[in-house]
Amino acid sequence: MEVTAPAKINLTLRVLGKRPDGYHELESMMQMLTLADLLRIEDDDALRFTCSDPALSGVENLVMRAAHLLCQRNQITRGAHIHLEKHIPVQAGLGGGSSDAATALAALNEFWELRLEPNELSALGAALGSDVPFFLNGPTAVVRGRGETVTPVVHHTIGYVVLAKPPAGLSTPQVYANLHAGHFSPSGTHGLQEETRAMLHALEHGDLDAIAHALVNDLESPALLLLPELFPIRERMIQLGCLGVLLCGSGSALFGLCPDESTAHHAALDLSNDCPWTWAGPWIRFV
Ligand code: C5P
């Protein structure tokens, strides 16, 4: 069995405040990309895990933690060999680890014929990481709470993006730790944040300029302070014709929304002079 684990970007990410449990209350419009890791699952006597990146092949990998969680809850007697081929860079804010975990949960549910319901998988996913429930409910969704409240969004807009990651990565807890109350977006008395509403409207109408205008990420200021080399990359993306540029999740990758495919590919080629990792391609949409 072979399954893809797509990356994501956050078209909006509003941090509404800090919660008593130490996490932050979020509202984010998340969008899956065609950039993806690959999981291969085969029968085996025991549970085994290998990875194309040896640095990620330990038992603490979220794929193994997902598999162990399923085994514990369902008294599994069968094994599996899971091989993960990494294409999504780590510490980039693209959700690679969370996507691998979500994909492993959904794929092993089928492979071991466990018949867990989507809400049961989401609950297991939330225990593994805040972004995991989204990856069980993509390709586009408004995510709230810590990340566990996922409302899918149906749209048909084709979007091409260019991604560029500088040599340094960013740790998510570190970026959140550098977020101060001044960065928070006050939650309205009712309904969604202004940018989320604008983004929903723009996606519904296929209006790329309006999508670019509504891009917002409250984690961008603390990330730029931690990694000032992001400033010139952002500038370059605009010069290369991107309609809008934003930090991916908690970084350190940036994405640029492009007017067409050739702008995205040309930008990726140019940015690869300064960035060790770049990518260009479309996001995933309902067809
Ligand atoms: O849930 P996950 O392990 O992916 O979160 C990683 C880190 O990101 C947390 O330890 C926390 O510092 C931060 N985080 C947060 N609020 C969220 C999601 C993540 O503060 N809603």
Side-chain angles (χ1 to χ4, degrees), residues 5-244:
K8 59 82 182 163
I9 51 175
N10 302 71
L11 296 174
T12 67
L13 198 171
R14 283 308 211 182
V15 181
L16 308 181
K18 192 155 183 184
R19 300 154 44 121
D21 63 6
Y23 283 87
H24 291 80
E25 195 69 17
L26 307 178
E27 183 181 300
S28 180
M29 172 82 77
M30 294 171 73
Q31 171 64 52
M32 282 180 181
L33 303 178
T34 53
L35 166 68
D37 290 339
L38 198 71
L39 269 107
R40 229 172 271 124
I41 303 178
E42 287 167 6
D43 252 326
D44 208 313
D45 298 336
L47 196 54
R48 276 205 314 132
F49 176 62
T50 51
C51 182
S52 58
D53 180 350
L56 303 176
S57 63
V59 285
E60 69 284 1
N61 189 296
L62 276 175
V63 167
M64 263 319 239
R65 290 178 43 203
H68 280 306
L69 199 59
L70 274 183
C71 286
Q72 278 163 16
R73 300 281 168 96
N74 297 281
Q75 284 123 36
I76 305 295
T77 47
R78 284 171 64 188
H81 173 206
I82 311 168
H83 179 75
L84 171 62
E85 201 178 291
K86 283 302 285 182
H87 298 286
I88 308 169
V90 297
Q91 292 213 314
L94 292 165
S98 303
S99 184
D100 297 341
T103 305
L105 282 177
L108 288 170
N109 185 41
E110 248 183 70
F111 192 73
W112 286 330
E113 296 164 332
L114 303 176
R115 296 191 177 84
L116 294 182
E117 297 292 330
N119 63 328
E120 294 177 275
L121 286 179
S122 285
L124 290 178
L128 291 166
S130 305
D131 284 345
V132 179
F134 163 72
F135 287 106
L136 293 161
N137 293 283
T140 313
V142 175
V143 171
R144 278 172 293 173
R146 204 196 100 197
E148 74 285 2
T149 309
V150 184
T151 311
V153 171
V154 178
H155 75 84
H156 303 286
T157 303
I158 300 172
Y160 282 95
V161 296
V162 59
L163 301 175
K165 183 185 173 283
L170 278 170
S171 115
T172 304
Q174 201 190 353
V175 175
Y176 273 102
N178 280 271
L179 189 70
H180 305 296
H183 295 125
F184 294 161
S185 303
S187 49
T189 44
H190 60 272
L192 296 169
Q193 293 283 307
E194 189 185 326
E195 291 81 3
T196 313
R197 273 187 280 121
M199 192 59 77
L200 276 169
H201 190 265
L203 286 171
E204 200 176 302
H205 291 84
D207 186 340
L208 290 180
D209 289 315
I211 293 171
H213 189 72
L215 293 175
V216 68
N217 182 349
D218 285 338
L219 299 178
E220 196 170 63
S221 296
L224 284 165
L225 276 176
L226 286 166
L227 210 59
E229 62 247 54
L230 289 171
F231 282 104
I233 303 171
R234 190 169 69 168
E235 273 312 302
R236 189 75 192 131
M237 281 185 169
I238 295 291
Q239 284 167 3
L240 289 164
C242 294
L243 302 170

